[in-house]
Amino acid sequence: MQQPVRIAPSILSADFARLGEEVRAVDEAGADWIHVDVMDGHFVPNLTIGPAVVKALRPHTKKPFDVHLMISPVDPFLAAFAEAGADTITVHPEAGPHLHRTVQAIKALGKRAGVSLNPSTPAKALDYVLEEVDLVLVMSVNPGFGGQSFIASQLKKVEAIRKKIDALGLSVDLEVDGGIDQSNCRRVIDAGADALVAGTATFRGGPSAYADNIRALRG
Ligand code: DX5
Ligand code: ZN
């Protein structure tokens, strides 16, 4: 069932010199989850943050940490992110080697498990694992950088996954990530998303704009 939309600001677009303050500011501005983009310079062509930063940010908010791992291999790092304070841990099937095993490992750590699909990865990649996960993250840009343009072809994938979740009667969150702003958020929600990641569109204009930015993303 599609829930009221949750907004997850990606701290990739925050001021890295003031990350704790930035997390507190988006929390106070109405963010539902804090989206943390973890990149390894190997699975994606960029390097960002690791578990030490997640741990340092944990005391700054009670909101759930939605940790998006764009790293390969991923299994050796799951425990570190769980211990650092992640609430949801999302992985890509291509990070390998065994998606089902990775999902089981996240759940064994007591965390919510997510699976993320790149723009060219079909919804079919969720077969045999959808029933096991708490969240599906559809990428509407190729992973690696904030500030890219929204890839509209992904709306069809969101619709297809929404149908599948509802047909099976599952309570899986359907989140979309990349290039989402106040001009396209309505289309994404109408396609069936109930969680939106937004980096650029949350953090533009500085702290005094965050509350309005987040409100406008609810469609
Ligand atoms: C891309 C990341 C996204 C990205 C979102 O690899 O997963 O979370 O930072 O940033 P915007 O909203 O600027 O596209
Ligand atoms: Zn992300």
Side-chain angles (χ1 to χ4, degrees):
M1 203 188 64
Q2 188 170 358
Q3 298 189 52
V5 70
R6 273 73 47 90
I7 305 298
S10 163
I11 59 168
L12 194 54
S13 299
D15 178 350
F16 270 37
R18 303 168 39 251
L19 264 188
E21 274 169 66
E22 291 276 70
V23 165
R24 289 204 303 277
V26 289
D27 174 334
E28 282 160 24
D32 297 288
W33 303 338
I34 307 298
H35 187 82
V36 183
D37 285 308
V38 177
M39 306 184 185
D40 67 352
H42 163 74
F43 184 68
V44 291
N46 196 6
L47 276 169
T48 57
I49 67 183
V53 176
V54 175
K55 188 175 177 193
L57 291 174
R58 190 61 282 184
H60 290 267
T61 180
K62 291 192 164 61
K63 301 272 168 81
F65 277 169
D66 179 34
V67 176
H68 179 192
L69 298 182
M70 290 160 274
I71 63 175
S72 178
V74 65
D75 292 351
F77 297 98
L78 298 175
F81 282 100
E83 282 157 22
D87 295 282
T88 302
I89 298 179
T90 296
V91 301
H92 286 250
E94 295 85 357
H98 305 139
L99 178 62
H100 191 279
R101 170 175 285 141
T102 302
V103 167
Q104 297 301 108
I106 295 168
K107 290 165 67 175
L109 289 163
K111 304 301 175 182
R112 282 163 34 93
V115 172
S116 180
L117 304 182
N118 283 334
S120 70
T121 304
K124 224 182 152 7
L126 297 168
D127 284 0
Y128 308 105
V129 77
L130 186 60
E131 287 87 342
E132 312 291 331
V133 306
D134 301 287
L135 178 142
V136 171
L137 178 62
V138 174
M139 293 303 299
S140 43
V141 297
N142 285 293
F145 302 95
Q148 303 182 78
S149 300
F150 182 76
I151 302 173
S153 62
Q154 300 307 303
L155 291 170
K156 287 253 172 298
K157 194 192 292 179
V158 175
E159 282 169 19
I161 297 170
R162 165 55 55 206
K163 275 201 189 110
K164 203 161 200 180
I165 290 171
D166 290 350
L168 293 170
L170 301 172
S171 61
V172 175
D173 294 323
L174 181 49
E175 186 174 34
V176 181
D177 183 6
I180 295 180
D181 61 20
Q182 290 78 7
S183 75
N184 58 27
C185 58
R186 189 68 251 168
R187 278 192 294 157
V188 181
I189 297 165
D190 287 347
D194 55 14
L196 306 181
V197 177
T200 308
T202 297
F203 286 95
R204 71 160 63 97
S208 64
Y210 296 166
D212 284 342
N213 290 348
I214 290 172
R215 198 172 309 118
L217 284 165
R218 299 189 189 278

